[in-house]
Amino acid sequence: MSKKLCVIGLGYIGLPTAVMFANHGLKVHGMDVNEKAVGMINNKELHIEENGLQERLNQAIDSGNLTVSLSPEEADVFIIAVPSPINDDKTANLEYVRKATQSIVPFVKKGNLVILESTVPPRTVEDVMLPVLKETGLNLGEELFVSHSPERVIPGKVFEELVNNDRIIGGINEESSRLTVELYRTFVKGEIHVTNATTAEMVKVIENTYRDINIAFANELAKISEKINVDVWEAIKLANYHPRVNIHQPGPGVGGHCIAVDPWFLVELQPDLAKMIHLARSTNDGMPEHTANRIQEILKEQGIQQGRAAVLGLAFKANIDDMRESPSMDVLRHLEELGLDFTAYDPHIKEIKHPRQTQELMEAADHADMLVVLTDHTVFKEINPETVAEKMRSKIVFDAKNCLDRSKWENAGFAVYTLGDSKHIPGVQ
Ligand code: SAJ
């Protein structure tokens, strides 16, 4: 197939997608409104981090198959992969989707296909995109084909998941779906499931909502366990041995631009019905405060009055440099509100994002009473307790992700606490 593609939005999804198609022999033009990003991509530099992206970008540019600029170009297929965030009042901000759609109207011709990859509230294709695309004067579904094909990839494993994950494709009619399936077959090895556009939008949003609700359940169990001296991590692990149970993991909150955002789309659409979804969102949003309160309680329990915490982990999840919606920043804010002294450290975050952030672990640990682990970075699991203990004032560790080797820290004389478990202090039952 020698189709030409135009990809609108060269971020975490658009750029890897553009590069994939280009490296499978298609001519791809990528556009982004961010001048800096376009300049960098043209110089084969990355403005986002993703495993394997650099070498694939080099290949795509060197082969001449990928060009990028600040405006769209004529093409056979347009793929829109722009942000769809929420406003401060938790309503969907569809301005990027609307503007991206408007930007291609002058370039769209008879026979073209327009695909939306951004995660959006159900009915966005029908109610937001189609009215704009009507301005082309083309007959939608007969002269211009449109579909939603939501991305499903997890940051860090994008190239593996782009190829191997099953994909959902929902066209505004059968021909739109058929053309979209044909295109993604270029590199997708997973199964492709066809539905209509609104169902595809719903599917994507409920995937992330499912995870949010399940994490909220785990967080609620963690809070209950703290009160009744049960180790929630062990309880969840054992429950998950049941063939039909898959409880997620508790933690200091839910970050990222997907799981903490998408459930709000359903709350906005049906506020009176989306009760559990709303409650789960609030439960997860309440975890940073709960975490900060636990830190204060533990310090008190240990008889420390003017305690100092060394907070490890600012990224929203392990081994990435992404801080979007990171619960860590909220934990720090609540610590400040409680009047607790703290330092913060994350080797994956190179820029200073908080006035109390240090660039060295030992500097963060200096005179600290407690190490607080908020992100399960591999480097934190490898910390030698004896070495940090030399710098610390008291030997307490609060592992909010339950990622440390408990016995290693206990053997070094630390009182080890995790979120969702109050009993793991050496000598205390
Ligand atoms: N988290 C928990 N407990 C868990 C799992 C995650 O507290 O058991 C927290 C993490 O620490 C993190 C947040 O949730 O702060 C989200 O992390 P994640 O790794 O679960 O998900 P994302 O946001 O990186 O990516 C998700 C994925 N969706 C699903 O797994 C259903 C990905 O496949 C989507 O493509 C992506 O959202 C998206 O773009 O929508």
Side-chain angles (χ1 to χ4, degrees):
M1 193 184 2
S2 59
K3 286 199 165 146
K4 179 172 171 188
L5 254 64
C6 179
V7 177
I8 318 296
L10 297 173
Y12 284 92
I13 300 302
L15 184 58
T17 304
V19 159
M20 275 300 264
F21 278 113
N23 292 343
H24 281 78
L26 277 73
K27 290 279 177 210
V28 181
H29 178 74
M31 78 77 70
D32 201 292
V33 292
N34 179 343
E35 255 179 73
K36 189 173 166 215
V38 167
M40 288 179 78
I41 299 167
N42 268 323
N43 288 329
K44 292 189 271 185
E45 287 165 10
L46 296 185
H47 70 109
I48 51 163
E49 268 191 17
E50 180 55 44
N51 292 328
L53 180 56
Q54 182 68 66
E55 52 269 33
R56 287 176 173 86
L57 176 65
N58 295 349
Q59 187 192 340
I61 301 258
D62 290 342
S63 68
N65 280 353
L66 178 66
T67 58
V68 293
S69 78
L70 289 164
S71 54
E73 279 185 3
E74 286 195 353
D76 301 297
V77 182
F78 295 83
I79 296 181
I80 297 178
V82 293
S84 47
I86 42 168
N87 300 308
D88 288 344
D89 64 356
K90 313 293 185 195
T91 56
N93 176 351
L94 296 174
E95 276 317 292
Y96 298 97
V97 172
R98 200 188 313 271
K99 285 203 177 110
T101 313
Q102 274 159 354
S103 78
I104 62 172
V105 166
F107 300 92
V108 166
K109 300 181 308 296
K110 191 173 168 184
N112 284 176
L113 168 66
V114 179
I115 303 168
L116 177 69
E117 283 223 16
S118 316
T119 304
V120 287
R123 296 208 56 81
T124 299
V125 168
E126 293 282 342
D127 296 347
V128 177
M129 283 184 75
L130 294 191
V132 176
L133 290 173
K134 277 206 178 98
E135 291 166 22
T136 59
L138 297 168
N139 197 339
L140 302 181
E142 282 169 26
E143 294 175 318
L144 180 62
F145 304 97
V146 185
S147 58
H148 181 47
S149 175
E151 60 80 16
R152 286 175 135 182
V153 291
I154 198 111
K157 283 165 76 182
V158 165
F159 287 102
E160 196 187 312
E161 295 208 350
L162 268 179
V163 174
N164 296 317
N165 284 3
D166 283 13
R167 210 171 236 276
I168 309 299
I169 285 175
I172 59 163
N173 64 348
E174 271 183 30
E175 186 58 6
S176 298
S177 298
R178 194 191 65 74
L179 290 169
T180 311
V181 172
E182 192 178 275
L183 178 79
Y184 283 97
R185 270 284 163 242
T186 309
F187 61 76
V188 173
K189 293 201 182 118
E191 270 189 55
I192 299 184
H193 308 270
V194 173
T195 181
N196 60 51
T198 305
T199 307
E201 292 168 326
M202 183 69 169
V203 169
K204 168 67 199 201
V205 172
I206 62 180
E207 287 165 4
N208 282 346
T209 304
Y210 159 79
R211 214 157 152 76
D212 199 42
I213 291 176
N214 200 327
I215 296 167
F217 176 51
N219 282 330
E220 194 164 289
L221 295 178
K223 289 192 279 183
I224 294 169
S225 299
E226 281 166 5
K227 296 286 181 205
I228 59 171
N229 271 0
V230 168
D231 175 351
V232 76
W233 305 90
E234 190 186 352
I236 289 177
K237 187 175 86 186
L238 297 177
N240 283 347
Y241 285 125
H242 187 289
R244 286 175 294 282
V245 174
N246 174 23
I247 305 168
H248 291 7
Q249 304 295 299
V254 171
H257 48 295
C258 310
I259 296 179
V261 170
D262 302 352
W264 288 117
F265 295 164
L266 295 177
V267 174
E268 183 186 0
L269 283 176
Q270 291 295 326
D272 293 337
L273 298 176
K275 292 195 174 117
M276 189 169 62
I277 299 171
H278 196 166
L279 182 60
R281 223 21 344 270
S282 307
T283 302
N284 289 337
D285 274 353
M287 288 313 288
E289 186 173 7
H290 178 78
T291 304
N293 288 340
R294 284 290 294 144
I295 292 168
Q296 190 183 44
E297 274 167 24
I298 294 167
L299 285 168
K300 270 196 200 145
E301 231 170 83
Q302 292 281 321
I304 296 164
Q305 293 311 322
Q306 298 293 321
R308 180 182 171 96
V311 177
L312 309 187
L314 296 174
F316 86 85
K317 65 178 189 178
N319 304 326
I320 58 168
D321 66 345
D322 195 337
M323 282 183 61
R324 284 177 296 173
E325 319 283 329
S326 176
S328 301
M329 294 309 269
D330 287 331
V331 174
L332 299 188
R333 189 167 52 76
H334 287 294
L335 288 177
E336 259 165 39
E337 279 168 17
L338 291 172
L340 281 174
D341 188 13
F342 64 88
T343 54
Y345 168 70
D346 191 323
H348 288 271
I349 310 293
K350 306 283 181 240
E351 285 170 38
I352 293 291
K353 301 281 188 181
H354 193 280
R356 304 210 198 166
Q357 189 180 342
T358 70
Q359 298 285 45
E360 294 295 331
L361 172 64
M362 287 307 160
E363 213 180 306
D366 200 20
H367 284 87
D369 295 293
M370 182 198 268
L371 283 187
V372 177
V373 178
L374 296 183
T375 312
D376 45 346
H377 290 319
T378 308
V379 281
F380 295 156
K381 299 180 196 170
E382 290 163 354
I383 293 174
N384 183 344
E386 317 273 352
T387 317
V388 277
E390 281 170 25
K391 285 274 175 189
M392 292 178 68
R393 205 158 48 187
S394 328
K395 292 206 249 178
I396 310 167
V397 60
F398 178 54
D399 180 6
K401 298 292 286 183
N402 194 38
C403 62
L404 302 181
D405 176 347
R406 212 175 244 179
S407 56
K408 182 171 96 176
W409 288 79
E410 282 176 351
N411 290 341
F414 275 79
V416 182
Y417 291 81
T418 64
L419 192 90
D421 173 22
S422 50
K423 70 171 184 236
H424 276 272
I425 316 160
V428 179
Q429 204 29 261

